[in-house]
């Protein structure tokens, strides 16, 4: 699972180790079934599938030629990321780029240069915050038809505090369900994995009380029934990102007399 930064975003930050290593949460999305379109779609795999949060249903192209997936946002909204879950870009050899459109009928401007992801894990494309009427993925010609289950387009929630010691990155914290075969005589016959997921816990401290109430609490409310993209230290570890959901009920508390707050999240995520 990885984050792909735009060159302009990285270049605009004088010390990216500070600004781009704050935890990010991609929960906001302006993608709707009525507002998303694709160049084509295979029978039974419509583009509207990417507008829901299920990773079990997906869009599949009907060809391996150049494809566009276009998200229309009307009225225009401020956006700075595209999240993609359950795709096959790596195995299909799909070079992906991101373009934005400032107004209806306006020019499309590239904000993320083309690249082929290293694997098929979830992706966050992060670019400079801007008002956009449209956002589109450009999928170059590939060796097999591209697929995508979920697309988010919106504005990231960026924590005011980093995560430090004690954190277990979600991509390294795997959980598997297995059936182990044993013979009557006690010999080992093999194992079958019947399910897998990723998990982690997130502890945030020293959060300003006004910031928590205005920015983080709306995320907690939204995450009660919806998944989100999460990166714990994006710039240093861009490959350690999850498409995850809450498994606890976060209970923020005051940790200092000045009102600074702390909160802990427990997450499960989609395994590749």
């Amino acid at each position: 699972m990885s984050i792909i930064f735009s060159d302009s975003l990285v270049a605009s930050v004088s010390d990216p180790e500070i600004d781009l290593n704050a935890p990010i949460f991609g929960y906001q999305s302006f993608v709707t079934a009525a507002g998303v379109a694709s160049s084509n779609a295979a029978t039974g795999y419509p583009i509207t599938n990417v507008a829901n949060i299920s990773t079990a249903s997906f869009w599949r192209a009907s060809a391996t030629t150049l494809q566009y997936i276009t998200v229309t946002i009307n009225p225009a909204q401020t956006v700075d990321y595209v999240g993609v879950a359950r795709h096959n870009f790596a195995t299909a050899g799909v070079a992906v780029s991101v373009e934005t459109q400032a107004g209806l009928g306006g020019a499309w401007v590239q904000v993320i240069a083309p690249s082929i992801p290293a694997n098929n894990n979830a992706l966050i494309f992060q670019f400079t915050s801007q008002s956009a009427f449209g956002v589109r993925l450009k999928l170059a010609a590939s060796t097999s038809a591209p697929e995508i289950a979920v697309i988010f387009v919106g504005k990231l929630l960026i924590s005011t505090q980093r995560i430090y010691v004690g954190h277990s990155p979600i991509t390294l914290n795997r959980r598997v369900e297995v059936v182990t075969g044993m013979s009557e005589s006690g010999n080992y016959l093999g194992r079958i994995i019947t399910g897998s997921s990723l998990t982690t816990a997130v502890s945030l401290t020293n959060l300003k009380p006004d910031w928590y109430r205005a920015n983080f609490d709306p995320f907690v409310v939204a995450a009660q029934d919806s998944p989100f993209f999460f990166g714990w230290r994006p710039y240093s570890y861009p490959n350690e990102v999850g498409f995850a959901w809450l498994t606890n009920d976060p209970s923020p508390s005051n940790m200092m007399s000045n009102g600074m707050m702390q909160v802990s999240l427990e997450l499960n995520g989609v395994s590749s």
Side-chain angles (χ1 to χ4, degrees), residues 2-4 24-31 50-52 69 71 79-87 89 96 98 112 121-127 135 137 148-156 228-230 241-243:
S2 59
I3 298 175
I4 300 175
I24 57 176
F25 300 84
Y27 78 97
Q28 182 189 66
S29 181
F30 297 114
V31 180
V50 306
N52 67 55
I69 296 178
V71 176
V79 298
D80 62 8
Y81 88 100
V82 175
V84 178
R86 286 291 195 192
H87 62 88
F89 296 162
V96 190
V98 178
I112 298 288
N121 295 322
L123 294 167
I124 294 178
F125 299 94
Q126 187 177 357
F127 48 88
V135 176
L137 292 174
I148 303 173
V150 176
I151 297 177
F152 280 15
V153 174
K155 187 165 177 55
L156 292 166
F228 50 90
F229 292 86
F230 167 69
V241 178
F243 183 62

Side-chain angles (χ1 to χ4, degrees), residues 86-255:
R86 286 291 195 192
H87 62 88
N88 68 339
F89 296 162
T91 53
V94 181
V96 190
S97 56
V98 178
E99 300 174 342
T100 60
Q101 185 185 51
L104 179 62
W108 288 95
V109 178
Q110 179 177 283
V111 293
I112 298 288
S115 65
I116 299 176
N119 54 52
N120 290 335
N121 295 322
L123 294 167
I124 294 178
F125 299 94
Q126 187 177 357
F127 48 88
T128 304
S129 180
Q130 58 194 269
S131 177
F133 179 85
V135 176
R136 71 181 184 183
L137 292 174
K138 181 179 180 180
L139 312 179
S142 53
T143 57
S144 58
E147 300 175 354
I148 303 173
V150 176
I151 297 177
F152 280 15
V153 174
K155 187 165 177 55
L156 292 166
L157 170 64
I158 303 177
S159 174
T160 58
Q161 300 293 324
R162 287 193 194 181
I163 296 174
Y164 290 96
V165 297
H167 179 71
S168 179
I170 190 168
T171 53
L172 305 180
N173 205 1
R174 305 173 184 90
R175 295 290 183 269
V176 295
E177 298 175 6
V178 298
V179 175
T180 302
M182 299 287 292
S183 70
E184 291 185 2
S185 59
N187 289 311
Y188 175 79
L189 300 178
R191 306 186 86 191
I192 299 174
I193 296 178
T194 59
S196 63
S197 64
L198 303 174
T199 186
T200 192
V202 179
S203 179
L204 296 174
T205 60
N206 295 308
L207 301 173
K208 292 181 178 180
D210 290 345
W211 181 87
Y212 184 95
R213 289 170 170 81
N215 297 281
F216 202 81
D217 190 57
F219 155 69
V220 172
V221 172
Q224 289 177 338
D225 62 0
S226 296
F228 50 90
F229 292 86
F230 167 69
W232 77 283
R233 191 171 287 197
Y235 188 77
S236 294
Y237 298 99
N239 294 324
E240 296 178 358
V241 178
F243 183 62
W245 52 91
L246 290 177
T247 59
N248 74 324
D249 295 318
S251 300
S253 61
N254 294 335
M255 60 180 298

Side-chain angles (χ1 to χ4, degrees), residues 254-269:
N254 294 335
M255 60 180 298
M256 294 184 179
S257 59
N258 61 6
M260 289 293 194
M261 303 189 75
Q262 60 186 354
V263 66
S264 296
L265 312 176
E266 296 175 8
L267 315 180
N268 273 7

